[in-house]
């Protein structure tokens, strides 16, 4: 799933996650860059890092020429997650909630809430680092839970 998040400081974070919400790729651009334009580079990054990905769900901001580019040049099918007909107010959209959850995981790291970095590449590295922390903590917690086995009881 591809979605972008605009920050107040003039930058956007475009991320690609898997269906569980784990970060696959991130691209940090200026806020003046349209989502569909940044999507071209993001799709190319996704294709080079994960060549087996064949289907991507994307936010409505990525509609347009990106769908054709991904299909013809990269062999990736892009399906746009559109708003529901007659939708008023906030409604959780199918396939979008996992990306929004990933943004909340990323924003728990202090350096991603405020933009301390001067270059977009540095901010992207901090986003990767924040997700590395989240994923390693989850794996360590899972590993500790599986290592605990019930102790045999001793007879008095």
């Amino acid at each position: 799933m591809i979605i972008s998040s605009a920050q107040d400081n003039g930058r956007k974070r475009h991320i690609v996650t898997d269906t569980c919400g784990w970060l696959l790729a991130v691209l940090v651009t200026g806020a003046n860059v349209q989502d569909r334009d940044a999507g071209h580079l993001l799709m190319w990054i996704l294709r080079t890092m994960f060549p087996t990905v064949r289907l991507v769900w994307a936010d409505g901001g990525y509609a347009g020429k990106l769908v054709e580019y991904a299909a013809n040049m990269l062999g990736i099918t892009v399906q746009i997650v559109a708003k529901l007909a007659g939708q008023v107010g906030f409604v959780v959209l199918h396939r979008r909630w996992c990306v929004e959850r990933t943004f909340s995981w990323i924003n728990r790291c202090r350096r991603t809430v405020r933009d301390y970095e001067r270059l977009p590449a540095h901010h992207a590295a901090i986003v990767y680092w924040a997700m590395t922390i989240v994923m390693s903590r989850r794996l360590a917690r899972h590993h500790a839970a599986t290592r605990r086995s019930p102790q045999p009881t001793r007879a008095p």
Side-chain angles (χ1 to χ4, degrees), residues 59 81-94 96:
D59 187 31
V81 178
K83 289 184 177 182
L84 304 172
Q87 175 183 341
V88 177
F90 177 75
V91 176
V92 178
L93 295 176
H94 186 61
R96 187 177 165 142

Side-chain angles (χ1 to χ4, degrees), residues 66 85 92 133:
L66 176 64
V92 178
I133 292 169

Side-chain angles (χ1 to χ4, degrees), residues 17-99:
T17 65
D18 64 358
T19 55
C20 295
W22 300 122
L23 187 67
L24 298 178
V26 63
L27 176 66
V28 179
T29 63
N32 62 343
V33 176
Q34 294 292 323
D35 290 347
R36 60 183 171 268
D37 297 333
H40 283 43
L41 181 56
L42 194 59
M43 289 303 238
W44 183 81
I45 292 169
L46 179 67
R47 176 45 118 201
T48 55
M49 292 176 62
F50 301 96
T52 58
V53 172
R54 298 282 180 244
L55 175 65
V56 173
W57 291 287
D59 187 31
Y62 294 95
K65 294 181 182 178
L66 176 64
V67 177
E68 296 172 10
Y69 168 77
N72 297 335
M73 301 299 282
L74 303 175
I76 298 174
T77 303
V78 177
Q79 293 181 357
I80 303 299
V81 178
K83 289 184 177 182
L84 304 172
Q87 175 183 341
V88 177
F90 177 75
V91 176
V92 178
L93 295 176
H94 186 61
R95 303 285 181 201
R96 187 177 165 142
W97 65 270
C98 63
V99 180

